[in-house]
Amino acid sequence: SYAVSSAQVLGQWADKSPALILNKYGNGHALACAAVDATIAYELVPRWREKTDRLRFVQDACSWTTNLIQSGCPPDVEINVMKKGKKTVVNFFNQGHAPVDAFKFRLPLKKKPSKVRLRTVETDEAAPKFEYANGILTVQVPEFLNFALCRIR
């Protein structure tokens, strides 16, 4: 049987719950992706089945589980973090009906970004208030109704 207690955790979400786990199953292995966004799982599973470079696959999968730490963000806001090379994009989708009050989010980064840009449906792209200290980027997100996007380089 597939027992989570015997699985190897390859990536975790910000709350330390497993995001990607590997376990022995019969004569092979089972890979489970606990994705908040189903598109992540749909991207991961076919790549594993194709037997591509599995080390690169695991590195990519783990990079998608970046520890995003938000503060003051309501539970109705869905957050997606996507990384590609030196670029990181953080999307905020308001699933609720009320506007989202301004809040800050924190994101671990290996080095200080050269550029941070933020836009909402209601505002043009601009440089938000942000700071970088001890490997953590903190960004101020303004009030928004439906969607906010933060691009980090």
Side-chain angles (χ1 to χ4, degrees):
S1 72
Y2 187 81
V4 175
S5 62
S6 65
Q8 178 184 1
V9 176
L10 301 176
Q12 294 179 323
W13 298 112
D15 66 0
K16 303 297 182 197
S17 62
L20 187 67
I21 58 175
L22 180 68
N23 202 359
K24 291 186 179 196
Y25 185 78
N27 292 329
H29 291 87
L31 182 72
C33 176
V36 175
D37 182 347
T39 59
I40 293 172
Y42 287 124
E43 287 179 28
L44 291 176
V45 173
R47 284 185 54 205
W48 184 262
R49 287 186 182 146
E50 290 170 6
K51 297 183 180 176
T52 57
D53 178 353
R54 292 196 174 167
L55 175 60
R56 177 73 178 148
F57 167 86
V58 171
Q59 289 170 338
D60 287 350
C62 291
S63 75
W64 289 327
T65 64
T66 303
N67 265 344
L68 175 68
I69 309 161
Q70 71 277 358
S71 61
C73 185
D76 287 345
V77 176
E78 175 186 331
I79 302 168
N80 294 318
V81 180
M82 297 173 285
K83 290 181 108 178
K84 185 173 185 180
K86 296 179 182 179
K87 299 177 187 176
T88 301
V89 176
V90 184
N91 294 299
F92 300 91
F93 299 98
N94 182 10
Q95 305 292 340
H97 300 290
V100 176
D101 291 333
F103 64 92
K104 291 181 181 179
F105 76 87
R106 300 185 318 153
L107 181 71
L109 293 176
K110 292 180 182 175
K111 65 179 191 172
K112 183 177 180 176
S114 60
K115 190 175 188 180
V116 178
R117 304 295 285 174
L118 195 136
R119 77 167 298 151
T120 68
V121 173
E122 299 80 25
T123 63
D124 291 331
E125 186 171 272
K129 291 182 182 177
F130 75 92
E131 59 184 54
Y132 181 82
N134 301 319
I136 302 289
L137 174 69
T138 303
V139 179
Q140 176 73 40
V141 178
E143 178 181 295
F144 66 94
L145 184 57
N146 297 311
F147 175 78
L149 168 90
C150 185
R151 293 186 303 137
I152 303 160
R153 288 187 187 195

